[in-house]
Amino acid sequence: MSVVVGAPSLARQLPGGAVLVIDALASRLASLRSSGEEDRDVAYELAVLAESTEVQVMWHTYSDSRLDGVLPPAQWQTLFPNVTELEQRPLPGHRLDSVLERWVAQREPGEDPIELVVRQGNPLAAIAGLGAWEGRLQRVSLASPRAQELWGAAVESLLVGRGFLAVADQPLVWERDRLASCRLECEALARERNGLQQRVGELENRLTEINRELDGIMALLDSADPLAAATAELPG
């Protein structure tokens, strides 16, 4: 199944199979919905993706709607000198995992792999908001204007650290590499094992201290018993 962030103008531009389209503007979702192919398995979600739910995201709307998103005018005008900002307003952010949970709750249960296509907004926030769903993420592609200059290096670094590799002959597309993913999982398990071993050592040391304290207390009690008995035998 595919998650497309940023509605294209036509339904035929969507990937095949089940698709969840997320966009910050209801008008763009409505336009896509009316573009045909109503028999497609497509769901629509009005949301702005962020690393944390309910964080306020400043959203910019431009004369060229392809540029709508989180980047301020100064950043776009160096690339598109004629673009003008129409509006900016704060919108509540939503983590991608919460959006996916709402979508999947309306579908048959399954473990289908996820393809993420980012045409709008911050791709780093979209990936960071996957949470437990990241394990099902198999493919990521950037399709926003000037994505290479604006996001390419940062997304590459993030995904390589999560076991993805760039797809040859497909710019700005990454797929999960099983060997790299297994290596990262083994490294994570090794760190967990080392942490547990350290914790076991700390607990063993604490147990030794407790036993030593108990031995001292028992010794004091044993030495006090004869005195207590002698005191009890004295005539009143």
Side-chain angles (χ1 to χ4, degrees):
M1 58 190 190
S2 302
V3 177
V4 178
V5 185
S9 56
L10 298 171
R12 64 171 177 264
Q13 296 173 294
L14 295 172
V19 182
L20 171 63
V21 182
I22 303 170
D23 202 285
L25 298 180
S27 58
R28 289 171 60 91
L29 293 174
S31 176
L32 175 62
R33 192 191 297 264
S34 65
S35 68
E37 303 189 41
E38 296 181 359
D39 58 337
R40 289 283 309 275
D41 184 2
V42 180
Y44 305 88
E45 182 78 23
L46 181 64
V48 174
L49 297 183
E51 292 187 34
S52 302
T53 297
E54 297 305 328
V55 66
Q56 292 294 303
V57 178
M58 186 58 69
W59 193 259
H60 303 266
T61 305
Y62 293 97
S63 53
D64 183 344
S65 62
R66 297 175 306 149
L67 311 184
D68 291 357
V70 297
L71 298 180
Q75 208 158 351
W76 279 126
Q77 285 167 350
T78 59
L79 301 171
F80 299 92
N82 295 324
V83 71
T84 56
E85 183 183 44
L86 303 178
E87 181 186 22
Q88 63 171 278
R89 53 175 171 157
L91 296 174
H94 299 266
R95 284 177 56 89
L96 182 50
D97 55 3
S98 64
V99 177
L100 284 168
E101 285 161 11
R102 289 196 295 272
W103 179 39
V104 171
Q106 304 168 16
R107 301 176 54 80
E108 292 293 327
E111 293 293 329
D112 295 333
I114 295 172
E115 175 184 2
L116 177 63
V117 181
V118 183
R119 302 167 49 92
Q120 174 192 84
N122 183 345
L124 300 173
I127 297 167
L130 277 165
W133 290 83
E134 188 179 313
R136 292 171 58 178
L137 183 65
Q138 295 297 317
R139 183 180 172 96
V140 177
S141 58
L142 303 184
S144 57
R146 299 299 183 96
Q148 180 63 64
E149 297 104 304
L150 297 168
W151 305 107
V155 171
E156 168 90 10
S157 177
L158 178 67
L159 290 176
V160 168
R162 285 165 159 77
F164 286 75
L165 292 177
V167 177
D169 302 324
Q170 295 187 50
L172 300 177
V173 178
W174 296 265
E175 289 184 344
R176 185 179 294 279
D177 179 73
R178 289 190 176 185
L179 181 59
S181 296
C182 287
R183 187 182 301 114
L184 290 170
E185 186 176 352
C186 288
E187 291 173 355
L189 289 172
R191 288 193 297 271
E192 184 179 358
R193 178 200 60 195
N194 294 338
L196 290 172
Q197 287 176 338
Q198 180 180 351
R199 181 59 178 157
V200 167
E202 293 171 352
L203 291 172
E204 288 176 344
N205 291 336
R206 179 56 182 151
L207 181 60
T208 300
E209 293 175 2
I210 291 172
N211 286 334
R212 189 180 301 117
E213 292 173 5
L214 283 172
D215 290 343
I217 292 170
M218 294 302 296
L220 286 173
L221 291 174
D222 290 343
S223 65
D225 282 348
L227 178 60
T231 304
E233 292 174 0
L234 291 175

